[in-house]
Amino acid sequence: MKLKHQQGEPRCWLLIAQLHLANGAKDEALRAAESAQAVAMRMRDLEAEEEANQFIDSATRKKDEPPPEPTAAPAPAPAAAPSAAPSAAPSEGSASKGLDPEQLGKQLMNMVKELTASAEEVELDTAFVDAGMDSLSGVSLVSMLNRDFQVALTPSVVFDYPTVRMLQDYLIQESQG
């Protein structure tokens, strides 16, 4: 039972880290991310540990320094075949295409549905809060987006773009820009 109550702790630490970083307190952000990493390691939560590692890497990387190349095999281009996780960083040859709006919308709705454990379908214009998302599930959504689309969004994006359609439009615009 104690472990069940601790499952959200690494993500809470990550949220705190992201808030510190957004407020310009990089040292505090790194300390909170290291706490998230330590708790995740203790709990053997590999996903949370990886999120903490990614946060630490991105927070310590210089702004002008490009992100490191992924070590895994590159994902197939979204135009070649439907994919569960299209890349938000299109290849140089397809830079003008960006993300597929329909596929992105479906994937976002599935993510929200998964995070809220709802049996009901999520509509494009339903506010995340009305769909049953709270701040912790908002952080989880952003983590999923960052992982699946290779972007670096902050948790505030779910407040800035509070519906699937608004977030979808934002991600498409960013992928084309």
Side-chain angles (χ1 to χ4, degrees):
M1 180 143 172
K2 184 178 180 183
L3 180 63
K4 186 176 181 180
H5 291 293
Q6 290 178 338
Q7 286 179 331
E9 187 177 350
R11 285 175 181 77
C12 288
W13 278 112
L14 282 172
L15 177 58
I16 291 167
Q18 291 169 338
L19 291 171
H20 280 307
L21 191 61
N23 286 323
K26 185 176 179 180
D27 291 337
E28 289 87 353
L30 288 172
R31 279 194 291 277
E34 288 166 356
S35 294
Q37 183 183 45
V39 172
M41 288 173 66
R42 185 176 67 237
M43 294 175 52
R44 294 185 173 93
D45 183 341
L46 298 177
E47 185 176 326
E49 185 179 347
E50 178 60 27
E51 289 173 28
N53 289 338
Q54 288 177 354
F55 179 89
I56 292 168
D57 288 346
S58 68
T60 56
R61 188 179 316 120
K62 294 178 182 169
K63 287 192 178 213
D64 297 337
E65 185 179 312
E69 291 296 318
T71 56
S83 168
S87 173
S91 65
E92 290 179 29
S94 64
S96 63
K97 292 182 183 177
L99 295 171
D100 177 358
E102 184 177 328
Q103 187 176 14
L104 176 61
K106 286 178 184 177
Q107 189 163 356
L108 280 170
M109 288 187 285
N110 287 336
M111 288 176 172
V112 172
K113 187 175 177 181
E114 177 184 330
L115 288 168
T116 59
S118 174
E120 296 181 26
E121 283 299 313
V122 177
E123 300 294 325
L124 283 172
D125 293 312
T126 301
F128 293 131
V129 172
D130 294 339
M133 288 185 62
D134 57 16
S135 58
L136 187 57
S137 55
V139 170
S140 296
L141 175 63
V142 171
S143 295
M144 292 167 81
L145 292 169
N146 288 341
R147 179 191 67 225
D148 291 355
F149 296 107
Q150 303 299 308
V151 293
L153 302 173
T154 62
S156 65
V157 76
V158 295
F159 299 106
D160 297 336
Y161 306 96
T163 68
V164 171
R165 185 184 312 272
M166 292 173 76
L167 184 55
Q168 171 188 354
D169 291 347
Y170 171 73
L171 289 170
I172 291 168
Q173 180 182 7
E174 288 298 305
S175 73
Q176 293 172 344

